Amino acid sequence: MSREGVTPQSEDFSAWFNELVVQAQLVDRGPVRGTMVIRPYGYRMWELLQADLDRRIKDAGHENACFPMLIPESYLRREAEHVEGFSPELAVVTHAGGKDLEEPLIVRPTSETVIGEYMAKWIDSHRDLPLLLNQWANVVRWEMRPRMFLRTTEFLWQEGHTAHADEDDAMRETMWALDAYAGLARDLAAMPVVAGEKTPGERFAGAVRTYTIECMMRDGRALQSGTSHYLGTNFAKAFEIQYQDEAGALTLAHTTSWGMSTRMIGGVIMTHGDDKGLVLPPRLAPYQVVIVPIGRKEQGERAVEEARRLGAALKAAGIRVHVDDNRPQLSPGFKFNEWEMRGVPVRVELGSRDIEVGVATVVRRLETVPGQGKEQIPLERLAELLPGILDEFHAFLLGRAETFRDDHTAVVDDWDAFAAQVASGWARAFHCGDPACEDDIKAETAATPRVIASGAPEETGDCVRCGRPSAYGKRVVFGRAY
């Protein structure tokens, strides 16, 4: 262990993550294998993500609803590809109320089936379309190798489900959701995601097309941080989601689904964190600023009084602030290390000498400009200047993550170069599109096709593995993934 309390990333990135989420008081392990208790500090991050995304969802005309957690097994079996894709992950209730159930119940892994059943009841006419629903919920997918935030048996998410008159309208919805996720990742989490389509072998079970946002973590691996699916009429056929068009004919609706989960918090941790602990983007930090009063006895009392006054002023200015004033038994140095571990973007140190000259010492979690990690700012200007400092810190984190991703991404055209590149980053390569070839690549390198990037230039070439012609008209991003 390092003196800061977590294993260095360079020594064991997995151990670093597992130790950090506990020591930074984000989560604790749940009583059932693979479950987690999200502690208040971690849940506040989720609330901030949730509030921003919920606003975007409602602004685009969607309405929130709530559907049952228990789904009849027969519902899933009505869409064969869907149940086959989820079968290994399902948790099934067979006994309740002191007796065996007549029909097994599936603990919600996702809600296309149960929502499809009710879409069919609620849609009669073309005037009922589009139907734009969203649900904030928890889901259960039985994980063999769980990891906090990234792959847990139970996790929190939102799932959008919509029905449309035709493919064009449904595809507009699918791409709207993808853009919303990409915007949320950049604007709130300072995560520079790559957005685009999944290959057929990586599609959501039952989807016609799947789109994703992928971000590179600081160990060079990819994290799928949000997905949006065009389901065509697959679920409409299975659940008879149809409407009477303007000519009076019954027509199948086109449906979509899209989701983002608490996995995004894991992405924030692994995109920005360092050997000292969390590094939180200001717009997702439970505390954007922590004020630490310094001093003993009368001087300490004066510092606490001034810190509380300053905290009230910052709160009035819309800054999430915490005054660390109720732990006199702990030294300032201990508090500094603790708040660094917990990733607070800005720390304000306030001692009697600072008060005498009317300044506070402002310390950023990372130096945005080399040599300028600390600076003294007049007390009366802190409320005015801190919002700009926080915005600069967000921009710094986003730029740093973009540079890291670009430095660890390479264009490759031969197998040996591909295998070497995906060991520590991403490879942009041509691929034939055959799922069997994808499986071969994964078996040899542990890498999978992450995304066919929307903004990538059109190119043709031969598959980096088998030599057959490229299937996509552009290169595919490959990488090892969480």
Side-chain angles (χ1 to χ4, degrees), residues 398-463:
L398 181 61
R400 186 181 75 144
E402 285 178 336
T403 298
F404 182 88
R405 179 198 64 199
D406 295 345
D407 288 348
H408 291 79
T409 303
V411 172
V412 296
D413 289 308
D414 68 86
W415 178 249
D416 288 343
F418 177 93
Q421 177 60 29
V422 296
S424 60
W426 292 357
R428 294 180 59 244
F430 294 116
H431 189 253
C432 62
D434 185 350
C437 187
E438 291 182 13
D439 293 341
D440 185 36
I441 291 172
K442 183 177 181 179
E444 287 290 321
T445 66
T448 53
R450 305 313 310 155
V451 61
I452 308 163
S454 299
E458 294 185 4
E459 298 180 75
T460 56
D462 296 329
C463 176

Side-chain angles (χ1 to χ4, degrees), residues 260-309:
M260 187 205 72
S261 75
T262 39
R263 163 177 273 232
M264 178 69 82
I265 297 176
V268 170
I269 297 165
M270 295 193 295
T271 300
H272 303 302
D274 63 15
D275 288 351
K276 292 183 178 181
L278 298 177
V279 177
L280 297 181
R283 296 164 196 169
L284 270 188
Y287 304 137
Q288 296 170 310
V289 176
V290 165
I291 305 172
V292 180
I294 301 170
R296 295 180 180 276
K297 298 183 180 180
E298 293 83 2
Q299 291 181 337
E301 291 175 3
R302 184 184 179 196
V304 165
E305 183 181 338
E306 182 61 28
R308 290 172 178 169
R309 186 202 63 77

Side-chain angles (χ1 to χ4, degrees), residues 127-385:
R127 296 181 182 86
D128 299 322
L129 298 174
L131 179 60
L132 307 177
L133 301 174
N134 179 66
Q135 173 171 241
W136 292 95
N138 56 343
V139 295
V140 170
R141 298 179 185 176
W142 212 258
E143 286 289 346
M144 300 306 295
R145 292 178 294 277
R147 182 176 294 183
M148 299 296 100
F149 287 119
L150 303 179
R151 289 192 176 275
T152 49
T153 296
E154 180 185 14
F155 55 91
L156 304 179
W157 78 346
Q158 61 73 215
E159 48 180 322
H161 297 271
T162 67
H164 304 263
D166 54 37
E167 178 178 350
D168 287 347
D169 197 48
M171 277 300 301
R172 279 192 291 272
E173 173 73 13
T174 304
M175 300 313 293
W176 171 85
L178 185 71
D179 290 344
Y181 292 149
L184 180 84
R186 292 182 65 92
D187 298 345
L188 235 67
M191 292 170 60
V193 296
V194 176
E197 188 171 2
K198 286 287 193 183
T199 64
E202 291 283 318
R203 279 180 192 148
F204 177 73
V208 176
R209 296 174 197 156
T210 288
Y211 295 83
T212 181
I213 56 171
E214 303 279 332
C215 190
M216 183 182 285
M217 307 295 96
R218 291 193 70 78
D219 62 349
R221 293 194 179 211
L223 186 76
Q224 178 180 291
S225 305
T227 51
S228 183
H229 317 286
Y230 168 58
L231 305 176
T233 57
N234 292 344
F235 286 86
K237 291 174 184 173
F239 290 89
E240 299 182 343
I241 308 170
Q242 52 191 358
Y243 67 95
Q244 192 172 54
D245 65 19
E246 294 187 34
L250 281 178
T251 304
L252 288 171
H254 292 247
T255 65
T256 80
S257 66
W258 29 275
M260 187 205 72
S261 75
T262 39
R263 163 177 273 232
M264 178 69 82
I265 297 176
V268 170
I269 297 165
M270 295 193 295
T271 300
H272 303 302
D274 63 15
D275 288 351
K276 292 183 178 181
L278 298 177
V279 177
L280 297 181
R283 296 164 196 169
L284 270 188
Y287 304 137
Q288 296 170 310
V289 176
V290 165
I291 305 172
V292 180
I294 301 170
R296 295 180 180 276
K297 298 183 180 180
E298 293 83 2
Q299 291 181 337
E301 291 175 3
R302 184 184 179 196
V304 165
E305 183 181 338
E306 182 61 28
R308 290 172 178 169
R309 186 202 63 77
L310 178 60
L314 297 185
K315 184 177 180 181
I319 296 170
R320 292 189 295 278
V321 60
H322 174 69
V323 179
D324 192 346
D325 61 353
N326 62 351
R327 302 186 296 170
Q329 75 280 12
L330 299 178
S331 70
F334 182 95
K335 294 179 179 180
F336 298 165
N337 288 336
E338 179 184 22
W339 293 117
E340 282 190 336
M341 168 72 75
R342 300 183 74 182
V344 172
V346 173
R347 183 176 75 243
V348 175
E349 301 171 6
L350 194 60
S352 58
R353 293 182 182 177
D354 298 314
I355 296 169
E356 287 174 5
V357 295
V359 301
T361 301
V362 173
V363 185
R364 294 165 177 81
R365 176 58 177 79
L366 295 174
E367 290 187 356
T368 55
V369 177
Q372 294 186 12
K374 276 189 177 186
E375 65 175 314
Q376 290 193 322
I377 295 179
L379 287 169
E380 70 272 11
R381 297 202 65 199
L382 271 175
E384 169 195 347
L385 296 177

Side-chain angles (χ1 to χ4, degrees), residues 113-132:
T113 57
V114 66
I115 293 178
E117 175 79 5
Y118 286 87
M119 283 181 167
K121 290 179 64 175
W122 298 342
I123 295 171
D124 293 313
S125 161
H126 63 91
R127 296 181 182 86
D128 299 322
L129 298 174
L131 179 60
L132 307 177

Side-chain angles (χ1 to χ4, degrees), residues 97-115:
K99 61 182 181 180
D100 291 337
L101 298 178
E102 292 184 8
E103 179 181 2
L105 302 175
I106 307 300
V107 183
R108 173 175 56 212
T110 180
S111 298
E112 281 77 9
T113 57
V114 66
I115 293 178

